[in-house]
Amino acid sequence: MAHHVTLLPGDGIGPEVTSATLRVLEATGVEFEWDTHKIIGTSAVEEERPELPDDVPASIRERGVALKGPITTPVGEGFTSVNVQLRQRLDLYANVRPCVSLPGIDSPFEDIDLIIFRENTEGLYAGIETYDARLEIADSTARVTRRGSERIVDFCFDYAQKNGRDTVTLAHKANILKESSGLFLKVGREIAERYPDVNFNDRIIDNMCMQLVMYPQQYDCIVSTNLFGDILSDLAAGLVGGLGVTAGANFGDDYAVFEAVHGSAPDIAGQGKANPTALIRSAVMMLDHLNETKAAQAVNTALRDVYAAGEVLTADVGGSSSTTEFAEHLAARVEEEMAA
Ligand code: NAD
């Protein structure tokens, strides 16, 4: 039986990394029926449609699962991020971003295996912003709620327990943001008591950044509010080879949207230079979610082999191959793995 999944190729490098990912998924033999929506964000606005056309969340509600490429957000003006809108409309409160080393990537660390759990619907991304044009004063409110904090911290602990992970670290700024970060930390400590088998500690966000750059192997699961989680996950991506290799997924109670951490990378779009590994690893998370465990393992094994060999890699990780060459090479290796 084919899996019914919504496909959003996105813009910028999105369509390139999406077709590379589809090639690799095809090599697993797992069958999909894609409901593809190409018109979203800027392309929708150009057609005088809303940046997030209603048929997109409707499709995900019907199918439960989406694979998504990046979508450009205008900086400092224009429409509200489609990515943020989608997470809020579908109540995808948990953004999960694993940072796992691959062999053969030139990086100061070789054995990193940590996961950032980012609250995805509130905090400074709640969209509560005002601007007083006369006085030229801008305000953005970081909304943190007990319910929002409880569910993301609980999601993180539950994941840690089910996946045999040792420790949850909560990153905050409760020394200064005594209300918003203070509530998040207070709730975190309460939830931790329900999980006596999982260690718990907390770090102030600035120290957390320094710790991650110097001693990343000491960290396991890290949970934080929306903005801190966003920044920490790009930092952590930099420890394992960059945005081109770092996967992500957005989970709610009812739906899941799988997307890489990176954006639309306008600086390299359309040049065949984009590394599709990040979206391919997001697709591996999707295969696991769909209980296609053998296929997920096959892609992971093939990825490690291709990186260890180091012959066919994209430029961001030291190679000279194009997006398509990398995808074809990986797909052939996945086919062998599935046949073994
Ligand atoms: P970006 O992630 O697009 O790019 C940052 C740097 O990383 C660039 O130098 C880019 O070339 C490189 N890079 C990113 N992905 C790569 C890949 N797969 N292979 C090789 N190199 C890669 O971040 P940005 O430039 O700050 O943002 C560009 C646009 O993307 C903005 O409009 C932003 O709002 C949007 N964005 C979207 C999402 C999303 O759709 N979830 C996430 C982040 C940013």
Side-chain angles (χ1 to χ4, degrees), residues 13 68 70-73 83 243-244 259 262-268 275:
I13 59 169
K68 174 185 168 298
I71 299 169
T72 303
T73 309
N83 311 304
L243 289 170
E259 64 176 336
H262 65 73
S264 55
D267 53 336
I268 56 165
N275 187 347

Side-chain angles (χ1 to χ4, degrees), residues 73 81 83-84 87 93-99 114-125 152 171 184 205 208-209 212 222-238 243 246-248 250 259-263:
T73 309
S81 163
N83 311 304
V84 173
R87 293 164 191 166
Y93 61 85
N95 189 310
V96 180
R97 297 178 159 183
C99 290
L114 59 86
I115 311 179
I116 312 283
F117 294 80
R118 162 191 175 191
E119 199 293 320
N120 219 11
T121 55
E122 48 184 47
L124 269 168
Y125 290 62
I152 182 64
F184 193 71
I205 187 67
M208 181 84 255
C209 291
L212 275 180
I222 298 173
V223 64
S224 198
T225 43
N226 208 334
L227 180 64
F228 294 159
D230 193 12
I231 296 169
L232 283 180
S233 53
D234 269 36
L235 187 156
L243 289 170
T246 313
N250 307 280
E259 64 176 336
V261 171
H262 65 73

Side-chain angles (χ1 to χ4, degrees), residues 12 17 80 103 134 159 262 335:
V17 293
T80 307
R134 190 176 66 84
Y159 181 98
H262 65 73
E335 274 161 17

Side-chain angles (χ1 to χ4, degrees), residues 264-293:
S264 55
D267 53 336
I268 56 165
Q271 299 171 32
K273 288 183 184 169
N275 187 347
T277 303
L279 191 61
I280 291 167
R281 284 176 131 183
S282 308
V284 170
M285 294 174 81
M286 182 181 76
L287 288 169
D288 272 326
H289 180 75
L290 297 170
N291 292 320
E292 296 288 357
T293 316

